[in-house]
Amino acid sequence: MKENVSNGNQVTPMLFPFDPTEYWEQIRQIIREEVKSAEKGRPVSPPSFQTPGLTYKPLFKIAEVCALFHVSKPTIYDWVKHGKLKPYKIRSRVYFLWQDIQLLLQPKQDN
């Protein structure tokens, strides 16, 4: 442990009782430990499709519908082709109504 560092004629006291490389290595290790503990404490949550201020999201993009049903885009296009979902085009984007998605989620009753 060095007490003083000679800098020309002056003797400057060290602020840290560590060698600079040892000090920075300890700082890096502390940061790694903190990052690991923060990652462990963070719960893994499914994607949220909620918009603040609304009780439900009225329009869904095709990627959101895919994530909701765990299917690919071609499957959604097939559902549109067979009339299971009705697309709504706003400018160049395609959206689906929440009510239509709810109807698709409900099991069909055979009478």
Side-chain angles (χ1 to χ4, degrees):
M1 185 160 94
K2 297 179 183 177
E3 292 297 325
N4 296 322
V5 175
S6 176
N7 190 8
N9 295 337
Q10 300 178 14
V11 176
T12 307
M14 285 188 67
L15 297 176
F16 302 107
F18 301 107
D19 184 45
T21 56
E22 182 183 343
Y23 170 76
W24 287 112
E25 189 56 40
Q26 286 184 359
I27 292 293
R28 288 183 191 103
Q29 183 62 32
I30 291 170
I31 291 171
R32 285 185 201 109
E33 291 171 0
E34 289 297 320
V35 168
K36 283 182 184 179
S37 67
E39 287 175 351
K40 288 180 183 177
R42 184 177 11 163
V44 177
S45 61
S48 175
F49 298 115
Q50 296 181 0
T51 304
L54 292 175
T55 56
Y56 69 94
K57 187 172 180 177
L59 295 175
F60 282 78
K61 296 179 184 176
I62 190 163
E64 295 171 334
V65 176
C66 290
L68 192 62
F69 286 106
H70 303 289
V71 295
S72 62
K73 284 184 180 182
T75 304
I76 300 296
Y77 293 132
D78 192 45
W79 291 353
V80 168
K81 183 178 174 183
H82 289 93
K84 291 183 177 183
L85 276 176
K86 182 178 179 189
Y88 291 90
K89 198 167 186 181
I90 301 174
R91 294 191 183 199
S92 63
R93 299 180 186 257
V94 177
Y95 295 97
F96 299 93
L97 289 178
W98 175 244
Q99 292 86 358
D100 294 342
I101 295 169
Q102 285 294 320
L103 290 174
L104 194 58
L105 285 171
Q106 293 175 355
K108 291 187 178 183
Q109 297 175 0
D110 294 329
N111 289 337

